[in-house]
């Protein structure tokens, strides 16, 4: 604060302030710019009042009467409450405001229609003032921090404002309404309701008037609901009626299955009051999946002297309360002001914005605790049907509504729409079935964790629908089959409603669909079979596999024949006769020609080339033949070494049946599973025969030392099951033994839809379907497979035969080449031995043989 006088003058002033209790004395000594200061001990409270003459006259008040009322109210409040300052009024009827209007105001009270009130609120948003907007019903509450909206309620019009507040608070996010109302609201009010709702939604109205007698009511409601296209109209019901009609509407709606997961109901009960507003008999009709909320009148049954209402009451209360609470805020500031020096106060003093927010909070708190004077007898309560457990219905207290404060929520009006299961713990049925459902057990054999694709999916849905779950295994450990006449296993659990759903990879079948409902398809899974992998044959002859025996025979024949052919052409060529070059050495010897051609086959060639063109042409084409043969052989050998071809004896069910007849191979499948019924009911003879001779096994698990796995490994038994389950069994076996003992059939049959099972009348299946669709669209199931499906290894990639994975060439793969080398060395040594023996015989027979000279 800038002071025009010096420090001495300031000291004198505050000395006078300290010894004087008179505000008038202080004002005489203060400089001109401090006479209307905002110090807490002497504040000028500037109050503005804006009146729209057209709007106020429509509600029966003239401008001069309002002006006189405002002036009288401020003077009375100033005298009674404002001890630390004075109030100054700025009254105007011209609503065309200056650009800086409101900058010097502390309190602004406006009497305008809804659109003008919000327009003014936007202009005043950045001004440090308290804005109290008095306006008509069906007006959205002001959400700006410095504004409060007070709707002027006439007669039963509170219903309109309640609906407006529900719509704009996003409590009812409806794009369409099916409105049913009885004679508790008159036609003019019914039109106001329609106009309010139709601003941003489609509205279809049904009148429930003139229903006399219970029989007549039931018939009338039956007729309405029977003809009503509820799905086409959006399944959003707003019922405005007396409490005597609520029960009839609920029973008729239940008869026509209108309390489904898609439907939402809000009942506005108009004729209840503070002594009779019990909704428990209606709440008790609720069932799992109901989305029903009640908004009911809890106003005083009979108006008393304290139940003031009207436009003049709102004006008086708004001005009086704001002045009183402004003074209260000043007194709180004064307590601090008197304890510090002026210089310190200039640092810590609250800004005008902070003072405004303090007053706003005090006004709201006062209305919340005392209810105010006007409309204090008007109050509505809100409750909802909440299902704590599948059979236990809870009467949920949602909140309240008052004219001044609007909606005060403790919870959601439609709790299961916004909160799903609302933290319920639901029972689900399941079995250990890797990789779909995995029960991880601790050292004591107790289940410590559930994992697998199904539980990963369930965990994701649980986050969205707000529930936790406990797993209940079926007592008989079965999946669910009706071969004995009654369903067992997981399907029995669902039928008896022991569980909310079956969290298992259940196959969808016609028989099961007759007794339970299935969710959206999670995945498509084929069946195949597992059997003992044939013992791997020795690879010592791998080097001859690139060519068939016939090709090797032709190559050997050509190698043997090309030498003599070459010798004949070379020996009898006229070229050598003409040049007199024929001798007994080099290529003129048959064995040299044969060794020459053999060396060319090994890509070694020789140092001597024939001189005649005939011999050269023959050798050239022999080299071309050798290049083709060697290149083909090398390429095929590399392929055989790095991508070995694997052929297994069982690839499809037809071969399985043949092996069963010829070699006595047996096969089996899971007992009481859907595959059993598929084989039994199939029209194809092959499947019928497989099913007829199949052994029935209990759940085998994935233990490689289990009875079934040992039977497969040592007794030529074949097991038919989901492909994913068989892959998991192979993976577990490989992880333990590091050996590939099993193979899979290449034929895949009976591609099954895998889904979750729900009771026939479950209200939650559609909620799960929505979340499953989102999960599938996001590709999360593929991620779950990556997390829980067995990773590929050397066994899985070659499990069905065909081309294996890239392999590192080992000594076993190269042993054939070593055998050839050892064979060559052995033959060479034998020939060497033969040469030595022959030399000894020759020397012993003729010892006079001349030896070559060696220096």
């Amino acid at each position: 604060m800038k002071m025009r006088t010096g420090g001495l003058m300031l000291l004198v002033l505050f000395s006078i302030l300290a010894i004087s209790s008179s505000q008038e004395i202080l004002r005489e000594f203060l400089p001109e710019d401090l006479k209307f200061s905002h110090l807490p001990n002497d504040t000028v409270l500037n109050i503005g009042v804006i009146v729209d003459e057209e709007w106020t006259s429509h509600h029966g008040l003239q401008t001069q009467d309002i002006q006189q009322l405002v002036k009288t109210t401020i003077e009375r409040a100033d005298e009674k409450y404002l001890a630390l300052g004075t109030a100054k009024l700025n009254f105007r009827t011209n609503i065309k405001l200056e650009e800086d209007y409101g900058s010097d105001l502390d309190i602004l009270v406006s009497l305008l229609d809804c659109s003008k009130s919000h327009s003014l609120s936007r202009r005043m948003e950045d001004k440090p003032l308290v804005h109290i907007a008095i306006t008509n019903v069906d007006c959205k509450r002001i959400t700006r921090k410095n504004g409060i909206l007070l709707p002027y309620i006439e007669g039963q019009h509170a219903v309109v404002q309640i609906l407006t507040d529900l719509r704009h608070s996003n409590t009812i996010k409806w794009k369409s309404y099916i409105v049913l109302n009885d004679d508790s609201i008159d036609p003019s009010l019914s039109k106001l309701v329609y106009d309010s709702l139709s601003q941003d939604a489609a509205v279809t109205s049904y009148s429930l008037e003139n229903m006399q007698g219970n029989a007549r009511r039931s018939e009338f409601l039956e007729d309405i609901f029977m003809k009503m296209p509820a799905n086409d109209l959006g399944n959003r019901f707003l019922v405005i009626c007396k409490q005597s009609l609520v029960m009839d509407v609920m029973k008729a709606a239940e008869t026509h299955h209108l309390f489904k997961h898609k439907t939402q109901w809000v009942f506005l009960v108009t004729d209840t009051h503070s002594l009779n507003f019990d909704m428990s008999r209606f709440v008790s009709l609720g069932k799992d999946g109901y989305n029903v909320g009640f908004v009911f009148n809890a106003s005083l049954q009979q108006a008393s002297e304290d139940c003031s209402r009207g436009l003049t009451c709102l004006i008086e209360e708004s001005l009086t309360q704001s002045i009183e609470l402004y003074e209260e805020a000043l007194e709180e500031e004064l307590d601090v002001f008197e304890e510090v020096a002026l210089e310190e106060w200039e640092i810590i003093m609250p800004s005008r914005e902070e003072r405004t927010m303090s007053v706003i909070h005090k006004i709201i708190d006062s209305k919340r605790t005392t209810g105010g004077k006007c409309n204090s007898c008007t109050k509505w309560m809100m409750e909802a049907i909440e299902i704590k457990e599948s059979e236990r219905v809870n009467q949920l207290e949602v909140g309240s509504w008052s004219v001044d404060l609007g909606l005060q929520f403790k919870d959601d009006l439609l709790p299961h729409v916004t909160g799903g299961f609302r933290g319920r713990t639901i029972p689900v049925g399941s079995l250990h079935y890797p990789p779909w459902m995995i029960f991880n057990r601790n050292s004591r054999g107790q289940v410590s964790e559930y994992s697998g694709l199904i539980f990963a999916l369930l965990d994701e849905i649980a986050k969205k629908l707000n529930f936790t779950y406990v797993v209940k295994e079926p007592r008989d450990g079965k999946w669910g089959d009706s071969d004995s006449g009654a369903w067992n296993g997981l399907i029995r659990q669902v039928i008896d409603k022991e569980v909310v759903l079956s969290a298992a990879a259940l196959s969808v079948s016609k028989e099961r669909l007759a007794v339970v409902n299935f969710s959206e398809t999670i995945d498509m899974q084929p069946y195949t079979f597992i059997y003992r992998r044939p013992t791997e044959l020795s690879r010592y002859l791998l080097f001859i596999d690139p060519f068939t025996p016939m090709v090797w025979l032709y190559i050997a024949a050509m190698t043997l024949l090309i030498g003599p052919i070459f010798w004949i052409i070379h020996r009898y060529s006229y070229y050598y006769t003409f040049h007199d070059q024929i001798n007994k050495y080099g290529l003129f010897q048959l064995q040299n020609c044969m060794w020459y051609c053999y060396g060319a086959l090994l890509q070694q060639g020789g140092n001597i080339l024939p001189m005649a063109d005939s011999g050269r042409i023959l050798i050239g084409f022999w080299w071309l033949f050798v290049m083709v043969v060697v290149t083909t052989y090398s390429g095929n050998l590399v392929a055989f070494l790095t991508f070995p071809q694997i052929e297994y004896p069982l690839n499809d069910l037809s071969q399985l049946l043949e092996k069963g007849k010829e070699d006595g191979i047996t096969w089996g499948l899971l007992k009481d599973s859907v595959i059993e019924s598929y084989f039994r009911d199939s029209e194809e003879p092959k499947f019928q025969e497989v099913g007829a001779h199949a052994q029935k096994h209990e759940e085998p698990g994935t233990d490689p030392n289990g009875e079934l796995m040992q039977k497969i490994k040592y007794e030529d038994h074949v097991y038919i099951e989901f492909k994913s389950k068989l892959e998991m069994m192979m993976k577990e076996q490989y992880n333990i033994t590091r050996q590939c003992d099993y193979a899979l059939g290449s034929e895949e049959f009976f591609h099954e839809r895998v889904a979750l099972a729900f009771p026939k009348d479950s209200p939650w299946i559609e909620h799960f379907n929505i979340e499953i669709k989102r999960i599938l669209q996001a590709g999360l199931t593929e991620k779950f497979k990556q997390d829980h499906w067995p990773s590929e290894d050397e066994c899985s990639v070659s499990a069905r035969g065909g081309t294996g994975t890239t392999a590192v060439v080992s000594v076993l793969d190269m042993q054939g080449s070593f055998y050839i080398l050892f064979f060559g060395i052995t033959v060479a040594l034998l020939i060497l031995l033969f040469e030595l023996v022959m030399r000894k015989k020759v020397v012993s027979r003729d010892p006079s043989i001349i030896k070559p000279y060696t220096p």
Side-chain angles (χ1 to χ4, degrees), residues 573-786:
S573 174
Y574 182 73
Y575 176 88
Y576 300 107
T577 303
F578 180 82
H579 291 283
D580 192 22
Q581 294 181 357
I582 299 176
N583 55 53
K584 296 181 180 180
Y585 307 103
L587 296 177
F588 288 98
Q589 292 186 349
L590 177 60
Q591 65 269 23
N592 289 341
C593 287
M594 295 186 67
W595 281 111
Y596 184 89
C597 292
Y598 178 71
L601 183 64
L602 300 178
Q603 295 185 310
Q604 297 302 313
N607 296 326
I608 303 174
L609 289 175
M611 301 299 295
D613 290 339
S614 57
R616 291 186 174 188
I617 290 174
L618 178 64
I619 291 300
F621 276 93
W622 173 248
W623 284 347
L624 182 61
F625 169 78
V626 167
M627 287 175 59
V628 173
V629 170
V630 171
T631 303
T632 304
Y633 176 81
S634 300
N636 284 348
L637 182 61
V638 170
F640 271 79
L641 287 171
T642 55
F643 300 97
Q645 292 293 320
I646 304 170
E647 298 295 337
Y648 291 154
L650 288 178
N651 292 309
D652 53 42
L653 293 179
S654 298
Q655 291 181 348
L656 175 62
L657 292 172
E658 291 176 6
K659 290 289 183 180
K661 295 175 182 178
E662 297 173 359
D663 303 332
I665 289 180
T666 60
W667 57 86
L669 43 85
L670 183 62
K671 184 179 180 181
D672 294 331
S673 63
V674 73
I675 184 68
E676 186 178 357
S677 62
Y678 285 161
F679 281 127
R680 182 178 61 239
D681 302 335
S682 175
E683 297 180 357
E684 190 170 344
K686 176 178 68 173
F687 292 139
Q688 291 178 354
E689 187 175 355
V690 171
H693 296 90
Q695 299 177 13
K696 308 303 187 296
H697 298 288
E698 300 295 335
E699 171 58 44
T702 57
D703 183 6
N705 296 318
E707 179 182 353
L708 177 62
M709 302 301 287
Q710 295 297 306
K711 187 178 181 67
I712 295 172
K713 187 173 181 180
Y714 296 111
E715 299 180 21
D716 281 340
H717 187 69
V718 176
Y719 182 59
I720 302 171
E721 181 53 289
F722 265 166
K723 175 184 172 183
S724 56
K725 174 60 181 269
L726 298 180
E727 289 176 338
M728 193 71 180
M729 293 166 65
M730 288 182 55
K731 184 67 174 181
E732 291 290 333
Q733 180 269 338
Y734 177 75
N735 289 339
I736 294 175
T737 65
R738 311 307 296 181
Q739 294 180 358
C740 302
D741 294 330
Y742 304 99
L744 297 178
S746 57
E747 181 184 14
E748 296 177 355
F749 48 90
F750 292 148
H751 284 70
E752 284 302 322
R753 291 184 295 151
V754 176
L756 308 178
F758 291 79
K760 268 294 185 180
D761 58 349
S762 172
W764 292 105
I765 185 170
E766 291 300 330
H767 294 274
F768 276 79
N769 284 340
I770 292 171
E771 299 305 327
I772 289 173
K773 286 179 182 178
R774 291 174 179 170
I775 289 171
L776 292 174
Q777 291 169 358
L780 286 179
T781 51
E782 295 304 316
K783 179 185 180 301
F784 297 155
K785 286 184 178 181
Q786 293 176 5

Side-chain angles (χ1 to χ4, degrees), residues 81-130:
Y81 299 113
L82 203 58
L84 298 176
T86 185
K88 181 180 178 183
L89 173 63
N90 182 340
F91 186 91
R92 64 185 299 162
T93 58
N94 183 9
I95 58 177
K96 294 182 179 180
L97 306 178
E98 300 81 9
E99 186 67 28
D100 62 344
Y101 180 81
S103 300
D104 58 344
L105 295 179
D106 299 300
I107 298 172
L108 173 61
V109 177
S110 62
L111 285 82
L112 310 171
D113 63 28
C114 182
S115 61
K116 291 176 183 177
S117 295
H118 280 278
S119 176
L120 179 62
S121 176
R122 286 191 294 271
R123 290 194 58 178
M124 299 297 110
E125 182 176 12
D126 58 348
K127 302 292 193 302
L129 55 81
V130 176

